[in-house]
Amino acid sequence: MISTSAPNESKSDPIFLKYAIDQLKPRLRRVTKGTTQDNLSVEKLIAFKFPAPAIEEQKKIGSVLCAYGDLMENNRRQLCRNHEPGNGTTGAIADG
């Protein structure tokens, strides 16, 4: 069974929630590993401590993390473009 849920935006900032869940993923994966099938029971989920600052603080944190994420993605794209064959910029960068 697959279940989905949307955050109550008066209590949780969706961007903050996304980054908070991303931080929990490795721990969730370790807990859900089963011998035959992965399973995240309600009991296991309740055991996790989830950060819950005030909504205004969540918005500030989410905004900062989103901005850093955008910067990292833009840098990654630029590096990929610089290293494409025939671009001509990799030699100029390496030669100084």
Side-chain angles (χ1 to χ4, degrees):
M1 180 170 111
I2 296 176
S3 177
T4 61
S5 181
N8 178 340
E9 291 191 30
S10 68
K11 296 181 181 180
S12 299
D13 179 62
I15 296 170
F16 171 83
L17 195 56
K18 180 255 188 249
Y19 283 101
I21 290 170
D22 283 350
Q23 290 299 309
L24 283 176
K25 280 181 187 179
R27 289 178 44 212
L28 287 169
R29 284 190 185 109
R30 286 193 299 272
V31 169
T32 60
K33 291 292 180 194
T35 54
T36 57
Q37 182 177 349
D38 293 348
N39 181 31
L40 180 60
S41 66
V42 173
E43 293 81 20
K44 290 177 185 176
L45 189 58
I46 290 172
F48 279 91
K49 301 293 182 208
F50 199 81
I55 184 68
E56 289 307 316
E57 190 172 352
Q58 289 181 34
K59 288 180 180 182
K60 289 177 187 175
I61 293 168
S63 176
V64 168
L65 292 174
C66 190
Y68 276 115
D70 289 346
L71 282 172
M72 289 188 299
E73 179 60 22
N74 288 337
N75 285 340
R76 185 195 65 76
R77 284 188 193 139
Q78 186 62 40
L79 286 170
C80 288
R81 270 186 290 222
N82 287 345
H83 289 92
E84 289 175 354
N87 189 324
T89 58
T90 54
I93 292 170
D95 294 339

